[in-house]
Amino acid sequence: MMNSKLIKLSHKLSRLLRHEGPIDPHAWMEVSYLIQHKGFTLEQLQTIVRENNKQRFEFSDDMTLIRARQGHSLAVDAELDVQTPPAVLYHGTAKDSVDSILAEGITPQGRIYVHLSDSVQTAISVGRRHGEPVVLRIDAERMNCEGITFYKSRNNVWLTDFVAPQFLSIENCIAEI
């Protein structure tokens, strides 16, 4: 389990790899840059990659590069493969946002993709970060049949460009985890 210093460094790494750069077109950053210019050690980076509870980061095979698996606001190709989603996916949000989402759909909110989960529990956890959680049910099967593209990151986050209102409903669940 990561200590508070490593958690702070993990947040810093996430910001750098997702929103600031310098990263290459496939979202990779030189490990040497992080060590020489951003105050990380190789051991810290290895621990963060290994122990991050959401498995947000990955090293290249030779460990000279590192990237966030998803969540980028920078224009990158994180080399995601198109995947057929399960029939239903979920999105956690705050109760205060539900009416506007049901009217306008789910947008990436400054990221490249909308993040979805195949787990109600994960969606509840995500929603809690923003307030009183509400889980939205996404008819991913229908979206897929209508030609909407889905990707699945290596840490099992489902991604798509946009979820239109007609594919959304409120999931009836008790937010207890």
Side-chain angles (χ1 to χ4, degrees):
M1 184 161 179
M2 292 195 298
N3 62 37
S4 61
K5 180 181 179 183
L6 280 175
I7 290 170
K8 285 182 182 180
L9 285 173
S10 174
H11 292 169
K12 178 180 177 180
L13 182 62
S14 185
R15 186 180 65 253
L16 287 166
L17 295 177
R18 290 172 158 181
H19 311 296
E20 294 180 14
I23 56 178
D24 76 9
H26 296 289
W28 293 107
M29 182 180 283
E30 295 278 343
V31 169
S32 61
Y33 173 82
L34 290 168
I35 293 169
Q36 294 169 8
H37 301 287
K38 296 298 179 180
F40 290 90
T41 67
L42 181 58
E43 181 181 76
Q44 288 168 333
L45 292 170
Q46 290 171 325
T47 301
I48 290 167
V49 170
R50 183 179 59 250
E51 296 184 17
N52 181 269
N53 64 334
K54 296 182 181 174
Q55 295 297 292
R56 284 189 170 120
F57 312 108
E58 65 183 329
F59 281 112
S60 59
D61 290 340
D62 64 2
M63 293 188 57
T64 62
L65 303 170
I66 188 171
R67 71 176 166 190
R69 290 180 161 154
Q70 79 278 329
H72 303 92
S73 60
L74 301 170
V76 295
D77 171 9
E79 303 173 304
L80 300 167
D81 294 324
V82 174
Q83 298 278 327
T84 301
V88 176
L89 290 169
Y90 303 97
H91 180 77
T93 192
K95 184 178 181 180
D96 295 345
S97 301
V98 171
D99 289 341
S100 65
I101 290 173
L102 290 175
E104 300 168 20
I106 305 172
T107 63
Q109 298 291 306
R111 295 180 175 180
I112 297 173
Y113 298 110
V114 171
H115 292 204
L116 305 171
S117 171
D118 57 10
S119 158
V120 170
Q121 291 77 19
T122 299
I124 291 170
S125 180
V126 169
R128 277 202 177 119
R129 284 190 263 155
H130 305 287
E132 184 179 339
V134 173
V135 175
L136 299 174
R137 180 185 178 97
I138 289 91
D139 187 346
E141 182 175 43
R142 197 168 114 218
M143 287 177 67
N144 189 58
C145 286
E146 292 191 19
I148 296 168
T149 303
F150 286 86
Y151 307 92
K152 188 175 182 183
S153 68
R154 289 178 189 91
N155 59 333
N156 298 318
V157 175
W158 285 93
L159 307 164
T160 194
D161 295 324
F162 171 71
V163 180
Q166 67 264 29
F167 302 114
L168 295 170
S169 61
I170 297 175
E171 176 69 11
N172 293 319
C173 62
I174 299 171
E176 291 186 30
I177 293 185

